[in-house]
Amino acid sequence: MKTAAQLVRLKSVQNRQVHSIAPEQTVLEALQIMAEKNVGALPVIEDGQVVGVFSERDYARKMVLKGRSSVGTPVRTIMSTPVVTADSQQSIDRCMEVMTDSHLRHLPVLDNGQLIGLLSIGDLVKEAIVEQADLILQLEHYIRGH
């Protein structure tokens, strides 16, 4: 079973880079970064620490549905807090449990308190499928006596 840090390292170089935003930046700036980088969420970083997460879901539910303007609204106003994170040594299964229980689509991964990556539910599902396929192959070999 891989750890969160191992899965972060397995992501492609392009997808491994963590794009973030500061809490005082505007929602419009966050949306521009997300569109440019083709990501669904941004960790919100203040003084080197993850203080929240801003996601497409936050925008839809806390901006659009409430009629707010993304031009002058700071990210701090609508970011999700408290932030749920994974330790770099947590198993993929534990990360999936945390995301499922907390209804999250993105999970910041920390190593000694420092952000090293962001895992999406898609990243975890892909890895679970790979691990299950490998286990099935091993069991088939065992049954056949190879």
Side-chain angles (χ1 to χ4, degrees):
M1 176 65 52
K2 288 185 178 73
T3 65
Q6 289 170 322
L7 188 53
V8 166
R9 284 192 293 274
L10 285 174
K11 292 173 78 165
S12 69
V13 175
Q14 178 184 359
N15 292 330
R16 196 178 315 146
Q17 184 178 3
V18 181
H19 307 285
S20 63
I21 194 151
E24 66 276 358
Q25 287 181 267
T26 67
V27 170
L28 180 61
E29 290 174 294
L31 293 171
Q32 289 169 332
I33 293 169
M34 291 167 65
E36 178 185 321
K37 304 302 182 185
N38 194 30
V39 296
L42 296 171
V44 183
I45 308 292
E46 185 172 47
D47 299 326
Q49 300 297 309
V50 181
V51 295
V53 174
F54 175 79
S55 68
E56 294 165 334
R57 183 186 286 179
D58 293 318
Y59 179 71
R61 293 181 179 177
K62 300 173 187 172
M63 291 294 296
V64 175
L65 290 178
K66 296 197 177 195
R68 292 179 171 158
S69 169
S70 55
V71 175
T73 303
V75 168
R76 178 185 308 281
T77 306
I78 67 163
M79 68 185 184
S80 293
T81 58
V83 67
V84 177
T85 63
D87 181 82
S88 62
Q89 297 309 304
Q90 270 184 295
S91 70
I92 299 304
D93 282 348
R94 180 67 187 131
C95 290
M96 287 183 85
E97 287 175 23
V98 167
M99 292 178 81
T100 301
D101 292 346
S102 302
H103 305 285
L104 302 174
R105 293 182 182 157
H106 301 90
L107 187 64
V109 179
L110 305 180
D111 189 37
N112 293 320
Q114 296 301 306
L115 181 67
I116 63 166
L118 188 67
L119 294 177
S120 71
I121 193 69
D123 296 331
L124 297 175
V125 169
K126 285 179 197 172
E127 183 58 29
I129 290 169
V130 167
E131 287 186 9
Q132 287 176 357
D134 187 48
L135 179 60
I136 290 168
L137 188 61
Q138 289 176 26
L139 290 171
E140 287 175 345
H141 285 313
Y142 176 76
I143 291 168
R144 292 186 184 130
H146 292 103

